[in-house]
Amino acid sequence: MLRSVGVISRRQPLLRLFARSQSSNALTKTALPFTYSSSGPISVKYTAQHEWIAAHSDGIAFVGITKYAADALGDATYIELPETEMEFEKGDSLGSVESVKSASEIYQPASGTVQGANGALEEAPQLINQDPMGAAWIAKVKLNDLKDLESEDLLDLEQYAKSLSHDDH
Amino acid sequence: MLIAPQRGPLKGHLVRYGLRWIRSQVPFKLGDDSSKFTELNEMYTDMFSQNTSGKTVATQSENYKDMIDELNKETDQLFNFQSHKLHPKELEEIVKKPGRFIIQSLSKNPYYNLALENYVFNNTPSGHDKHNKFGNQRLLFYVNKDCVVIGKNQTVWKEVYLTSLAKRGYELLRRLSGGGTVVHDLGNVNYSFITSRDEFERDFFNKLIVQWLTRVKPEGPLALSQRGDIVLGDKKVSGSAFKIARGKSYHHGTMLINSNLDQFQGLLKPSNIAGITWKCNSVDSVRSNVTNVFLNSTQEFMDICSSGFKQHYGTADRNIPILLCDEEISEIDEIQDEISRLKSDKWKYLAGPKFCLSLANENCSITVEKGIITESSIPSIVGSSFLDFTKDLDSFQFIDRNLIL
């Protein structure tokens, strides 16, 4: 399925692709990861492994997988969620998404302690296909340090979109 | 396995080489018959050597070993395939280095084989080469002795009859990939194709297998089902599961060659059993009729796919080696740790999704999270592990143990 996304992107002019990736991989403005604080997240970053992280000024961040990743994986059948109070280093496996028979790992984009997991995904894993950038957030994390989001390997939306178009699928 | 079966023009050379090897072997052969020559040997030893006889024999057989190693090395260089089992250090080096290869495991131990597969997958470099292509595709083969393997996100007690497994000597394993439950025996061969996350495509490798096997037997009605399974007529011969992590992916599958299919009966539970209801979000197995594919041996399947893989991925300047691994590889800490994890109750019975089961007749319900009973109509069992509860089932005589185990 990743391949079919690649085929579309090759056929589309670069600019149009940017607009498309940016809108689809942007945070949903009406769901908790955005509305958690009244002013919205102060930083939204992306990893090369297709996770997103949205951090608020009080050091709370939400983590999920991008629209691109959710589309590529297809219909989700089970989401493995992290345990509350568990401390995760950056790069640790936070959980996984099982879709039509594949199990795909989700990694912690920045170190912190899990304060809660999205229980809605237990009952309705397909939520991850419907709103991966919002209602289907995976973990709510208390970050060790907000500054960690300035790390070079975390991309902003534009960089992430660019990385998708440069990927050689 | 000094001389692997090989098609094409190399054959003649190999046979000649083999003869040379056999000829050189004869004078040194230390079989039972050698005892009658002991006296003679000792005499010569005394005559021509200052050492004691024992030492000389040892040195000779060591020389002999060296010679074989030397010969093997020569063969490898000549024909670019490995004929000896990889040492832990060699495995470590080749896995971590970029490049394509094929591994055939000689072990029949399922824990070892899953750990080896995981090791190769984790340590395969994820980066792209200078042409911005992923060049580290790997293909593994292994055969496991009797065992039942459940998917990562499945519930053990829902999928298998643990009592029959134990009675009939089948090991139970939980693998690291998704999907449903499968039965392995020595007539089934497992393949594992590693590539990048970007190149991951569900049906890619099974399409190749169908193509390769059809070439061998064009009249065999082998095809890919809508679910991406390889089928012979309307029966499944192979099951697949997939894993994606750290920029890489693998597709591993089973292939039934000469499995004792009658023996598989009664190991896996049907989706519905009267008297018990499972409420869980775990992944369901899709029950299918299975049959053996038209090959003679698991080795034949490995040979066909190895040569297909070499053709598909080999280049003029780089042949793809076939490497042999056995259990000494488990000296690598990472493999040893993984074997321990796969064997642990924590991974087998305390991992996996939350589930709730209710027994209709007994009016009893149990909710289990991460292996621990969190709610139940039997208050005394709340807080203990479901595994311990099943071990102690006889003290709950109102429960029909056959419904759970």
Side-chain angles (χ1 to χ4, degrees):
Chain A
M1 256 174 241
L2 268 162
R3 204 158 263 260
S4 65
V5 172
V7 170
I8 294 165
S9 69
R10 256 205 303 276
R11 284 183 194 148
Q12 285 189 338
L14 210 59
L15 271 175
R16 254 179 72 199
L17 171 74
F18 269 12
R20 189 175 151 267
S21 308
Q22 285 197 4
S23 61
S24 61
N25 288 307
L27 211 59
T28 309
K29 295 217 164 72
T30 50
L32 184 65
F34 196 97
T35 60
Y36 168 79
S37 63
S38 53
S39 50
I42 53 169
S43 173
V44 181
K45 289 291 178 80
Y46 299 81
T47 70
Q49 300 282 333
H50 312 287
E51 291 96 11
W52 56 262
I53 180 165
H56 294 262
S57 52
D58 62 353
I60 293 293
F62 292 82
V63 177
I65 65 164
T66 64
K67 175 88 166 65
Y68 173 84
D71 285 351
L73 290 171
D75 295 341
T77 50
Y78 180 76
I79 317 286
E80 183 191 12
L81 297 170
E83 271 176 83
T84 306
E85 296 309 316
M86 276 276 278
E87 205 178 321
F88 289 90
E89 292 288 313
K90 174 178 180 162
D92 283 351
S93 176
L94 194 64
S96 65
V97 177
E98 179 162 352
S99 62
V100 273
K101 288 207 277 184
S102 106
S104 181
E105 296 288 317
I106 306 161
Y107 300 103
Q108 176 82 325
S111 305
T113 305
V114 172
Q115 284 206 334
N118 188 356
L121 292 171
E122 278 186 352
E123 302 302 323
Q126 65 276 15
L127 202 58
I128 212 140
N129 299 102
Q130 292 156 7
D131 188 14
M133 299 299 309
W137 58 275
I138 285 161
K140 180 182 168 192
V141 179
K142 172 82 184 153
L143 293 175
N144 289 353
D145 191 346
L146 262 173
K147 284 203 188 94
D148 289 346
L149 290 196
E150 288 158 30
S151 164
E152 266 181 25
D153 54 4
L154 293 177
L155 314 171
D156 62 25
L157 180 54
E158 195 178 330
Q159 288 168 323
Y160 178 65
K162 212 181 258 180
S163 80
L164 295 180
S165 63
H166 284 192
D167 258 2
D168 193 40
H169 307 301
Chain B
M1 282 292 284
L2 180 71
I3 293 149
Q6 184 101 5
R7 290 191 179 75
L10 290 181
K11 206 169 183 177
H13 296 274
L14 281 172
V15 171
R16 271 208 299 284
Y17 205 87
L19 286 175
R20 200 175 111 205
W21 180 73
I22 290 164
R23 270 205 303 277
S24 68
Q25 186 185 28
V26 174
F28 299 102
K29 193 161 185 177
L30 299 170
D32 292 340
D33 289 342
S34 64
S35 56
K36 57 186 168 194
F37 301 117
T38 308
E39 212 185 317
L40 200 68
N41 271 341
E42 269 170 11
M43 193 184 82
Y44 275 103
T45 308
D46 288 343
M47 277 171 72
F48 296 112
S49 158
Q50 287 173 318
N51 297 330
T52 62
S53 63
K55 262 186 190 166
T56 311
V57 171
T59 318
Q60 273 192 348
S61 81
E62 259 170 45
N63 283 344
Y64 171 52
K65 252 192 194 158
D66 285 351
M67 232 175 69
I68 291 188
D69 282 349
E70 191 83 346
L71 282 175
N72 278 341
K73 235 186 232 163
E74 240 180 79
T75 327
D76 293 344
Q77 282 161 3
L78 269 174
F79 304 122
N80 194 18
F81 72 87
Q82 293 275 343
S83 51
H84 74 286
K85 296 189 268 181
L86 288 181
H87 304 301
K89 276 264 171 284
E90 289 174 306
L91 177 74
E92 208 172 334
E93 204 174 293
I94 193 152
V95 167
K96 292 180 177 173
K97 228 168 48 183
R100 299 169 173 136
F101 58 79
I102 300 166
I103 285 184
Q104 296 184 6
S105 170
L106 302 173
S107 167
K108 304 286 186 274
N109 176 340
Y111 296 102
Y112 163 83
N113 284 327
L114 289 194
L116 170 69
E117 176 181 52
N118 190 48
Y119 175 78
V120 176
F121 176 62
N122 283 343
N123 289 288
T124 293
S126 58
H128 289 185
D129 64 13
K130 54 180 188 282
H131 308 295
N132 200 25
K133 286 261 187 289
F134 182 78
N136 310 330
Q137 287 83 357
R138 277 116 200 238
L139 179 59
L140 266 70
F141 295 104
Y142 51 87
V143 173
N144 288 332
K145 61 187 173 208
D146 293 356
C147 63
V148 170
V149 186
I150 65 168
K152 181 183 177 187
N153 297 314
Q154 291 200 293
T155 302
V156 180
W157 298 277
K158 184 168 182 264
E159 298 300 328
V160 304
Y161 289 109
L162 282 172
T163 315
S164 330
L165 257 67
K167 236 185 244 163
R168 288 153 62 178
Y170 281 79
E171 277 290 329
L172 173 85
L173 289 94
R174 183 192 293 274
R175 64 171 179 269
L176 297 143
S177 61
T181 304
V182 285
V183 184
H184 293 189
D185 71 2
L186 293 177
N188 167 67
V189 55
N190 304 284
Y191 56 91
S192 179
F193 170 66
I194 297 173
T195 186
S196 67
R197 178 186 182 130
D198 290 342
E199 278 190 10
F200 173 69
E201 206 189 318
R202 261 180 61 92
D203 293 347
F204 172 77
F205 201 69
N206 275 356
K207 273 185 198 159
L208 284 179
I209 291 180
V210 169
Q211 195 182 311
W212 296 332
L213 295 188
T214 305
R215 218 181 285 160
V216 174
K217 193 171 174 182
E219 70 275 19
L222 210 59
L224 221 54
S225 78
Q226 269 195 326
R227 292 178 47 88
D229 292 320
I230 301 175
V231 290
L232 189 63
D234 58 355
K235 289 185 172 169
K236 203 166 146 177
V237 293
S238 160
S240 292
F242 310 87
K243 185 175 169 76
I244 296 174
R246 299 198 190 280
K248 292 163 289 182
S249 66
Y250 69 68
H251 164 192
H252 60 184
T254 56
M255 180 62 76
L256 297 166
I257 310 283
N258 38 30
S259 281
N260 200 342
L261 300 176
D262 296 342
Q263 286 293 313
F264 289 11
Q265 298 288 333
L267 294 171
L268 309 188
K269 288 183 174 175
S271 44
N272 287 305
I273 296 177
I276 186 165
T277 320
W278 296 89
K279 249 182 46 196
C280 37
N281 307 309
S282 56
V283 174
D284 279 325
S285 294
V286 177
R287 277 84 184 164
S288 318
N289 286 324
V290 294
T291 188
N292 283 315
V293 85
F294 45 73
L295 299 175
N296 297 316
S297 67
T298 52
Q299 186 62 44
E300 190 185 356
F301 176 80
M302 293 191 257
D303 291 343
I304 292 169
C305 293
S306 296
S307 83
F309 184 83
K310 281 178 168 201
Q311 261 177 27
H312 192 90
Y313 283 112
T315 51
D317 57 326
R318 251 205 116 127
N319 199 355
I320 295 171
I322 299 177
L323 311 161
L324 304 178
C325 270
D326 211 338
E327 291 183 27
E328 58 269 18
I329 302 300
S330 51
E331 281 167 30
I332 297 174
D333 289 344
E334 210 180 317
I335 294 185
Q336 195 53 252
D337 292 349
E338 187 60 33
I339 291 174
S340 312
R341 184 168 82 115
L342 289 169
K343 282 184 174 173
S344 69
D345 282 352
K346 191 177 172 208
W347 174 250
K348 283 190 193 181
Y349 302 104
L350 303 176
K354 175 180 170 179
F355 65 88
C356 175
L357 66 90
S358 27
L359 300 164
N361 296 339
E362 295 82 355
N363 207 0
C364 142
S365 71
I366 303 170
T367 304
V368 180
E369 271 178 76
K370 306 257 176 221
I372 305 297
I373 299 170
T374 55
E375 275 173 58
S376 176
S377 54
I378 314 168
S380 63
I381 62 170
V382 173
S384 58
S385 78
F386 189 73
L387 177 65
D388 287 341
F389 165 69
T390 60
K391 285 177 182 164
D392 195 27
L393 259 187
D394 289 338
S395 51
F396 301 91
Q397 283 182 353
F398 56 95
I399 296 176
D400 177 3
R401 59 178 293 132
N402 296 323
L403 285 178
I404 296 172
L405 299 170

